[in-house]
Amino acid sequence: MESFNLYPVLSQKLFESIGYIPSEPKFSYFENDRVHDLGLKNSTGNQLNLTAEIEDVRCHFELEKHELSVSKSVTINSPQFLFGEKGIVPQNATIGVAVQWISSKSDHRGVFQLGQISKKDKKVELSSTYHFRPSLVRGSIILRTVLYLKEYSGCSPNEKHLCNQTGTIIGTFDGCEILVEGNGSIFPIVEINDPSKPLWKLYYDDSADPLQDAFDEEHVEIRLNKAHPSYDELKIDSSLKESPLFLEVISSALMIIIESAKNALGPDWDAVINDQSSFDRGSIAEAVSYFVTKLGWETSSPSLMAESIHNFFDNNLKGGNL
Amino acid sequence: MNWPRLDKTKSEQLFNDYCNSKEYLTQFEHRELRSDLCSLFSEALAELGIGPEMIPKKNYAYQVDYIYGIKIYLLLNNKYGMNVRTASYAGVWRFIGVQVVPDIVDMRYGTNHPDRFWKKDRRLWLRVIWWYIYLSWQGDEESTRCVLMDNSTDEILQLVDRCGRGGYRVELYRELMRQHALIDPVKRRKQQIFRRIMVLNTARVQVVEPSLVDGGESRYVTNLVMYFNNI
């Protein structure tokens, strides 16, 4: 559900004129009276929309045991454009900059503040560190740097269209999703060892509610059989490009997942593929909606679906995107 | 404690075994957990002065939910190291529900509600009541009891089900529970105030971040509640 704004929010044009300089969030933890930095690896995306995994060279970091600290800093070269009639808040208001965080797997979210800006500020550099207590987050953390109306003390007649409720989010600077544990694979894959079973199977939990239940190993999982004679040909440690067999497994599995979710959703299916449904973050429905709406897979019939999934992989492997 | 997690296949099997024989299999290492959970359940019923057959009657179901909820919240957290991360795994609650104390879940819901034992991740009874207490916690047992005693199972549903996109804002929910408890209980029930507060809140948090409001969550909630107090 997209929210409808009754007041101006940070536009692309305004964003470009204020000279925002983002920086990657920095993670660390504390052990034996010392702070240990955590690196980021497997980064994809850009500075404004990053996905990465934390990496502990010491291999000691545990979410159950350690407090996880995150530091974020931002620089804004010309914040004055944010104020006044053509901006997003009145001249005499104060803007706050904060980071919203979400750990959807542990059902938690929160906010921490970076600092504030007023009209008289020339160039601002803001930064802050937030500590996640041990055993709070799970899976990944989404961080979103936002602007909000912090202090409001009336406005002049030509500023009446601007936001006047404190706490209102009036713009987003950047966002990122950082995996804090696990293998980072978007696709839950496990290996089994059973000579009586086929090369692979897809486990799909038919009692799952696709709108709520997570796209994770509890509900969806590809099970590869190490004991099968063709297992070595899967070459699972190579890239997909070098393993046509594994690519076939993935393509078929994706098709089964979509078909299964379609069955389970019944009349809700149309809303999901038209992006009009309020499914939970990380849910099966979100994953399926992504395949269909963002990757453009055809789902009107099984044969067209198979064709479009194969086309997708062919085109993207050729372009080196996968 | 290193919490085991049960997948749905195994849970369904254990649940069916329990339904067929009404016997349960608690592994030796979990006997103490079972015995603790059972004695707290007896304590909760004793406090209400009822036997298990009375649970479905009147508002007893809710009384059992919140009184037993507080007891297991304290037990699991203090003695067995339960925390938010662990509590977010459905598999952990399936383990408790079908392997450790299926008979207690049975007394609350009966076996024709598999959703509450293992089937629906967000409906597992013990999971729901742990989160209900966590999201309502006022710092100590006594204060938490005070804000919960006049509620009903509808408040549990409204609070725990409205996870919102991404997750719960815990401080906000605790403040909501605190201020909601100050409204006259008769008016609350008659006008379904809590449900309406939660609906309005869900709409408002699309544009406002409660902790960033001038005056923080407390002011934000006061404004939400005021809207209904004036009706």
Side-chain angles (χ1 to χ4, degrees):
Chain A
M1 183 166 51
E2 284 297 315
S3 53
F4 174 72
N5 293 305
L6 299 163
Y7 41 80
V9 296
L10 185 70
S11 61
Q12 184 60 31
K13 198 175 153 215
L14 193 53
F15 178 72
E16 282 161 15
S17 57
I18 60 171
Y20 173 75
I21 303 172
S23 71
E24 278 185 3
K26 291 194 167 48
F27 291 86
S28 62
Y29 67 102
F30 197 76
E31 190 182 59
N32 300 335
D33 301 327
R34 274 197 58 197
V35 174
H36 301 280
D37 289 334
L38 293 161
L40 289 180
K41 62 174 181 181
N42 297 338
S43 300
T44 55
N46 57 37
Q47 288 258 299
L48 297 178
N49 189 6
L50 176 81
T51 307
E53 281 171 53
I54 59 165
E55 180 180 38
D56 178 24
V57 286
R58 301 173 69 234
C59 298
H60 273 219
F61 177 65
E62 281 177 58
L63 284 167
E64 294 276 350
K65 211 165 88 184
H66 298 110
E67 194 175 74
L68 173 66
S69 304
V70 55
S71 301
K72 174 79 185 175
S73 51
V74 301
T75 302
I76 304 164
N77 282 316
S78 315
Q80 66 274 14
F81 296 113
L82 298 167
F83 298 86
E85 191 183 350
K86 295 201 170 92
I88 50 177
V89 299
Q91 303 267 2
N92 58 1
T94 310
I95 291 177
V97 181
V99 174
Q100 294 178 310
W101 63 265
I102 293 175
S103 170
S104 59
K105 281 203 168 174
S106 70
D107 284 333
H108 270 64
R109 62 182 295 161
V111 186
F112 61 97
Q113 303 184 29
L114 295 184
Q116 60 184 63
I117 316 168
S118 58
K119 178 78 198 294
K120 61 179 196 315
D121 292 321
K122 295 283 180 286
K123 174 183 177 180
V124 290
E125 290 174 36
L126 308 171
S127 67
S128 176
T129 300
Y130 183 79
H131 307 284
F132 295 99
R133 65 173 196 266
S135 294
L136 176 67
V137 295
R138 205 185 120 194
S140 71
I141 303 174
I142 292 172
L143 300 169
R144 230 169 11 222
T145 315
V146 295
L147 291 167
Y148 66 99
L149 180 61
K150 189 174 168 72
E151 287 165 8
Y152 180 80
S153 48
C155 66
S156 55
N158 60 351
E159 296 174 329
K160 290 217 182 301
H161 61 293
L162 299 175
C163 171
N164 59 16
Q165 297 276 322
T166 63
T168 306
I169 305 297
I170 42 182
T172 303
F173 279 146
D174 58 41
C176 64
E177 176 159 14
I178 309 295
L179 291 163
V180 290
E181 64 185 325
N183 60 6
S185 157
I186 57 150
F187 222 105
I189 298 178
V190 291
E191 291 181 345
I192 56 165
N193 206 333
D194 186 343
S196 70
K197 292 269 165 66
L199 176 62
W200 68 279
K201 73 164 271 180
L202 181 89
Y203 164 74
Y204 183 91
D205 171 13
D206 286 312
S207 65
D209 176 354
L211 297 175
Q212 282 197 341
D213 291 342
F215 188 76
D216 65 14
E217 71 285 354
E218 283 200 7
H219 307 106
V220 183
E221 190 170 73
I222 295 185
R223 297 179 179 162
L224 304 175
N225 188 4
K226 274 187 123 149
H228 193 276
S230 302
Y231 175 82
D232 287 343
E233 288 171 52
L234 285 173
K235 294 188 229 165
I236 59 159
D237 292 325
S238 315
S239 74
L240 278 177
K241 216 174 188 169
E242 291 158 34
S243 177
L245 182 61
F246 192 37
L247 189 58
E248 283 306 309
V249 172
I250 297 279
S251 305
S252 311
L254 284 164
M255 185 161 162
I256 302 171
I257 291 168
I258 297 173
E259 283 284 337
S260 307
K262 191 176 178 180
N263 279 338
L265 283 161
D268 291 331
W269 169 254
D270 285 337
V272 167
I273 58 165
N274 291 315
D275 224 356
Q276 289 162 344
S277 173
S278 56
F279 39 73
D280 285 3
R281 259 200 68 84
S283 63
I284 300 170
E286 187 187 59
V288 170
S289 162
Y290 178 80
F291 299 143
V292 178
T293 61
K294 299 289 190 308
L295 306 185
W297 295 354
E298 180 59 59
T299 57
S300 55
S301 79
S303 59
L304 288 173
M305 197 193 310
E307 188 182 341
S308 71
I309 294 175
H310 282 97
N311 270 335
F312 167 81
F313 281 114
D314 281 353
N315 294 336
N316 284 283
L317 287 174
K318 223 184 295 163
N321 293 335
L322 291 173
Chain B
M1 168 160 172
N2 197 3
W3 287 97
R5 302 205 292 266
L6 279 193
D7 65 21
K8 285 195 175 174
T9 318
K10 179 84 179 144
S11 303
E12 181 174 21
Q13 189 192 329
L14 286 169
F15 175 71
N16 290 338
D17 291 349
Y18 169 77
C19 292
N20 293 334
S21 65
K22 291 276 171 174
E23 278 174 13
Y24 34 82
L25 199 99
T26 302
Q27 286 156 6
F28 184 69
E29 55 192 307
H30 305 123
R31 293 266 167 82
E32 189 176 344
L33 174 62
R34 171 170 170 80
S35 134
D36 284 341
L37 289 170
C38 291
S39 44
L40 291 183
F41 194 68
S42 307
E43 270 180 34
L45 294 187
E47 195 181 314
L48 290 165
I50 60 169
E53 73 291 346
M54 292 290 284
I55 296 172
K57 304 203 168 105
K58 293 190 192 162
N59 195 22
Y60 284 134
Y62 174 72
Q63 305 291 324
V64 169
D65 286 352
Y66 97 86
I67 292 172
Y68 186 53
I70 291 179
K71 288 180 190 295
I72 64 160
Y73 179 79
L74 291 170
L75 171 81
L76 296 176
N77 297 8
N78 298 337
K79 185 170 172 185
Y80 293 96
M82 178 65 76
N83 55 48
V84 168
R85 222 177 108 77
T86 308
S88 67
Y89 284 102
V92 166
W93 298 106
R94 283 195 289 264
F95 158 72
I96 307 178
V98 299
Q99 194 166 343
V100 183
V101 287
D103 48 334
I104 293 183
V105 186
D106 186 3
M107 283 187 260
R108 169 65 178 86
Y109 274 101
T111 48
N112 48 3
H113 283 95
D115 290 4
R116 300 294 185 172
F117 288 81
W118 67 273
K119 202 166 181 179
K120 286 267 181 264
D121 286 5
R122 293 201 177 269
R123 293 265 185 280
L124 308 171
W125 179 51
L126 297 161
R127 179 187 198 174
V128 167
I129 58 175
W130 187 93
W131 281 89
Y132 181 59
I133 303 303
Y134 172 69
L135 295 173
S136 307
W137 192 249
Q138 301 292 311
D140 60 69
E141 179 175 355
E142 199 47 45
S143 325
T144 308
R145 275 179 177 252
C146 283
V147 304
L148 297 182
M149 63 186 186
D150 292 316
N151 289 350
S152 67
T153 47
D154 193 49
E155 272 82 9
I156 299 183
L157 178 87
Q158 295 301 324
L159 185 71
V160 182
D161 260 19
R162 287 188 193 276
C163 177
R165 289 207 131 182
Y168 299 112
R169 292 172 168 89
V170 181
E171 296 312 318
L172 169 69
Y173 282 13
R174 290 178 175 173
E175 182 63 21
L176 264 171
M177 295 308 278
R178 191 183 73 79
Q179 293 201 32
H180 169 252
L182 303 173
I183 305 171
D184 172 39
V186 180
K187 178 176 173 173
R188 273 179 352 205
R189 204 153 313 144
K190 228 159 88 186
Q191 303 186 14
Q192 298 198 320
I193 300 278
F194 193 69
R195 180 187 294 247
R196 292 159 70 192
I197 287 177
M198 292 305 281
V199 170
L200 184 61
N201 176 60
T202 303
R204 282 205 182 160
V205 295
Q206 303 291 327
V207 284
V208 173
E209 185 59 56
S211 68
L212 300 177
V213 168
D214 192 4
E217 278 106 346
S218 154
R219 174 76 59 79
Y220 171 86
V221 174
T222 306
N223 289 339
L224 268 188
V225 172
M226 205 156 55
Y227 182 82
F228 293 100
N229 260 340
N230 294 336
I231 296 174

